[in-house]
Amino acid sequence: MECKKVEAMLQQIKERNVMNTLVIVLIAAVCLLAGYVLYGRWLANKWGIDPQAKTPAYEHEDGQDFVPTEGWIVFSHQFSSIAGAGPVTGAIQAAAFGWLPVLLWILIGGVFFGAVTDFGALYASVKNEGKSMGLLIEQYIGKTGRKLFLVFCWLFTLLVIAAFADMVAGTFNAYVVVDSAEQLSPTANINGAAGTISILFIVFAVIFGLIQKKWNLTGMKEVVVGLIFTIAALAIGMQFPLIGGKNAWIGFTFAYIFFASVLPMWLLKQPRDYMTTFMFAGMIIGAAVGIIVAHPTMNLPVYTGFTNESLGNLFPILFVTVACGAVSGFHSLVSSGTSSKTVANEKDMLKVGYGAMVLESLLAVLALCVAGAAAASDGTAAVGTPFQIFSNGVAGLLEMFGIPVYVASCFMTMCVSALALTSLDAVARIGRMSFQELFTVDDMEHAEGWRKVVCNKYFATVLTLACGYILTRIGYANIWPLFGSANQLLSALVLVTLCVFLKVTGRENKTLFPPLIIMLCVTFTALVQRFIALVKAFQAGTAVFMVEGLQIIIAILLMILGITIVYTSVRKLTEKKETAKESKKSLKKA
C-alpha cells in the first residue's frame, strides 16, 4: 500500500511538476557558493595572486580608463555591466525545454564555464598591463589573430548594441499599436516613470562622480550618498513620468551610451553602476525573500523533450539561449576591457571575476523560478516577453510586503531596463575601444592622418553606434538567436586565448580544455543551423534583406573569423608545446 502511495506521488511530481521554487533557489545558492569557495579559490591559488603587486590601474593611471578603484566598486561595475538582459531573457526562453535542463546548465555552466572565463580574462589582463583580449591575443598568438579577434569583437558589439537598445526603448515606450493605429499603452505611466528614473540616474551619477572625485568618499559615507541618489531618482521619477514613443527612447538610449563611451569612467559609468547595484540588490533580495515567504510551486514542466517546436533541438539551442546566466563571451570583454583597468589590488580579482558571475547565475535561477511561479498550474507559460514575465512576477512578490502596486511595477520596470542599459554602456565603450585598437599602431604620434581620425574616440564611437543603430531596425527578437551564437563563440575564443596564455606563463590550463571543446561544438553547430534556417527563408521567399540578409552576412563573417582564430590559436598552442618539449630535451642532454 505504501509503495503505491510513493509511486502515485512520483507520478504526480512527474506529471504536475510539484517542486517548490524555494528548494530550487536554496540548492542553486549552495552550489554556486560552494563553486566560489572551493573551485574559484583553487584556481586563484593555482594561477597565483600577489596582493603586493602594483596593478595596471596604478601603473598607467590616466583618470580616464585606468582608475584605481576600491574592490567592491569594481565588483559593482562588473556585475552591473554583465548582468544584462541575458540571465533573465535566456533562462525564461530556454525554459521551453523544461526547468530542469535550464537549472543544470546554469549551475554547471556558471561554476565551471562562465566564472572561469570571466575570472581568467580579468586575471590575464591584470597580469598584462590591463590589455584587452585583442592585445593579449597579439602578445601570445600573433598580430593576425589580434586583428581577426578585434573585427569579431566589433561585429559582436554591434549585435549587443542593437538587441539591448531595442529592448530598452521597448520597455520605456508608452504606446501600443491597435488596428494599425498608435494609442497609449495601459502601462504608459509605469514605462514613462522608468524612463524618467533612468534619466535621473544619469544626472545623479555625474553629480555622485564629481562628489567622489572631490572628497574621495569611502565606506559608509559612499554607501549613504549612493543610496540617497538612488532613492531620490526613484521617488522623483515615479512622480513625473515621461510619455514617449519607441523612436524617441531609442534616440535617448544612443545619446546616453555615446557619453558613457567617451566620458571618464569615474564621471559617469562607475557611479551609475554603483547606484544601479543598489537597485539590483533590492530586486534580487525582494525576489529571494518573496520566494522564501510565498514559496510558490514551480509550474513549468520538468522536461518537455529534446526538440521544441519554436526553438529547435536542446543541443545546441539550450546552451546558446541561456547565454549570460551560464557563460558569456561578452563578460570577458568587460573583464579585460574596463574592470582590469580599475582593479587596485590583485586580491580583488576573485570576487570581481568569479564572484560577479556566480551572482549572475543566481539571478538567472531566480528568473527561472519567477517564470515557473507565473506559469499556469497545467504548465502553460505566462504570456508576455521574458522581461514582462520577470518584472510582473517580482512586482507581485514585492506587493506581498505592502509595497503599492504602482511603486513595485515602476521599480521592477526600471530594474529590467537597467539590466540592459548597464550592458549597453559597457559594450558601447568596448566597441569603441575594439575599433580603435584595430587601427592603432605603436607610434600614433607620427601615424598617417587617416589613422589618427579613425582612432579618435569620438569618431570610433559615432561609427560604432551608427552601425548598431542600423541593426536596431531588425528588432531584438530577430537578432537574439545570432547574438547568442556569437556570444558563446566569443567565450570559446577567449578560452583558447587563456589556454595559450596560461601555457606560455607556466600556469595550469588543462581545466579549460573541457569548456573550450564543448563551447566550440555548441557555437559552430548553432551558427550553421542558423545559417541554414536563413537560407531556407530566402528560398521560401519570406526573407527580407534588412533582416535575414544582414543576419546571413554577419553569420558568415562570424564563422570565418571564428574558424581562423581557432586555427591560429591551436597552431600557436601546439608550437608552444613543441618548444617546451625541445627545451626539456636540451636540459636533459646538458
Side-chain angles (χ1 to χ4, degrees), residues 369-390:
C369 289
V370 168
S377 57
D378 64 355
T380 304
V383 178
T385 66
F387 266 15
Q388 290 169 335
I389 293 169
F390 181 68

Side-chain angles (χ1 to χ4, degrees), residues 197-216:
I197 295 167
S198 293
I199 294 172
L200 290 173
F201 250 68
I202 296 166
V203 174
F204 286 150
V206 172
I207 297 171
F208 189 19
L210 292 170
I211 291 173
Q212 180 76 324
K213 185 76 171 176
K214 185 172 180 61
W215 286 293
N216 192 28

Side-chain angles (χ1 to χ4, degrees), residues 265-277:
M265 287 284 289
W266 61 266
L267 182 57
L268 175 57
K269 181 121 182 62
Q270 281 185 340
R272 187 187 177 281
D273 287 344
Y274 186 72
M275 290 164 55
T276 303
T277 302

Side-chain angles (χ1 to χ4, degrees), residues 212-552:
Q212 180 76 324
K213 185 76 171 176
K214 185 172 180 61
W215 286 293
N216 192 28
L217 302 178
T218 56
M220 281 307 298
K221 291 179 182 177
E222 184 178 42
V223 172
V224 169
V225 174
L227 273 173
I228 289 172
F229 280 136
T230 302
I231 294 169
L234 290 166
I236 298 169
M238 289 178 196
Q239 296 300 316
F240 302 99
L242 285 173
I243 307 302
K246 188 174 181 180
N247 288 334
W249 285 115
I250 284 179
F252 156 76
T253 303
F254 275 88
Y256 163 64
I257 59 178
F258 170 81
F259 288 110
S261 173
V262 299
L263 290 177
M265 287 284 289
W266 61 266
L267 182 57
L268 175 57
K269 181 121 182 62
Q270 281 185 340
R272 187 187 177 281
D273 287 344
Y274 186 72
M275 290 164 55
T276 303
T277 302
F278 289 122
M279 277 206 318
F280 287 169
M283 176 184 70
I284 293 171
I285 292 169
V289 172
I291 287 173
I292 290 170
V293 173
H295 48 81
T297 301
M298 169 60 79
N299 291 321
L300 291 172
V302 175
Y303 177 61
T304 61
F306 186 80
T307 302
N308 179 269
E309 236 177 86
S310 59
L311 293 180
N313 294 333
L314 186 141
F315 180 90
I317 300 303
L318 170 71
F319 306 93
V320 167
T321 305
V322 173
C324 303
V327 58
S328 168
F330 164 65
H331 296 183
S332 62
L333 299 184
V334 176
S335 295
S336 66
T338 55
S339 296
S340 64
K341 296 172 176 60
T342 59
V343 169
N345 193 307
E346 285 192 10
K347 65 181 176 60
D348 294 328
M349 288 194 291
L350 178 61
K351 69 184 176 192
V352 173
Y354 203 100
M357 177 60 220
V358 294
L359 182 59
E360 182 173 11
S361 294
L362 182 61
L363 174 59
V365 173
L366 288 172
L368 177 64
C369 289
V370 168
S377 57
D378 64 355
T380 304
V383 178
T385 66
F387 266 15
Q388 290 169 335
I389 293 169
F390 181 68
S391 177
N392 294 337
V394 179
L397 293 173
L398 293 175
E399 288 170 40
M400 291 168 35
F401 304 107
I403 298 173
V405 177
Y406 179 69
V407 174
S409 298
C410 286
F411 175 73
M412 280 309 304
T413 303
M414 176 55 204
C415 281
V416 295
S417 61
L419 286 171
L421 268 176
T422 50
S423 292
L424 259 176
D425 54 25
V427 83
R429 198 176 190 95
I430 291 164
R432 180 262 291 176
M433 293 168 72
S434 296
F435 187 83
Q436 285 178 293
E437 288 178 10
L438 189 59
F439 297 99
T440 300
V441 292
D442 293 334
D443 186 13
M444 282 301 296
E445 191 178 338
H446 300 97
E448 304 95 316
W450 69 267
R451 195 179 293 275
K452 289 182 179 180
V453 171
V454 297
C455 289
N456 176 275
K457 70 177 180 180
Y458 297 103
F459 178 88
T461 299
V462 169
L463 182 64
T464 299
L465 297 188
C467 293
Y469 177 79
I470 291 170
L471 289 179
T472 58
R473 303 296 89 192
I474 296 176
Y476 96 89
N478 292 308
I479 291 175
W480 193 260
L482 194 56
F483 158 75
S485 302
N487 188 33
Q488 305 307 61
L489 178 54
L490 181 57
S491 69
L493 300 180
V494 171
L495 285 168
V496 171
T497 306
L498 294 177
C499 282
V500 177
F501 159 71
L502 293 171
K503 182 67 180 178
V504 169
T505 56
R507 294 177 171 92
E508 166 65 39
N509 75 342
K510 291 183 177 61
T511 52
L512 300 187
F513 289 160
L516 167 60
I517 293 167
I518 291 170
M519 293 316 298
L520 284 174
C521 293
V522 164
T523 51
F524 277 111
T525 304
L527 277 171
V528 169
Q529 286 183 355
R530 185 63 182 162
F531 175 74
I532 292 171
L534 291 168
V535 170
K536 285 182 177 178
F538 269 101
Q539 290 175 341
T542 59
V544 179
F545 177 76
M546 279 300 292
V547 179
E548 286 81 7
L550 284 179
Q551 287 188 71
I552 282 183

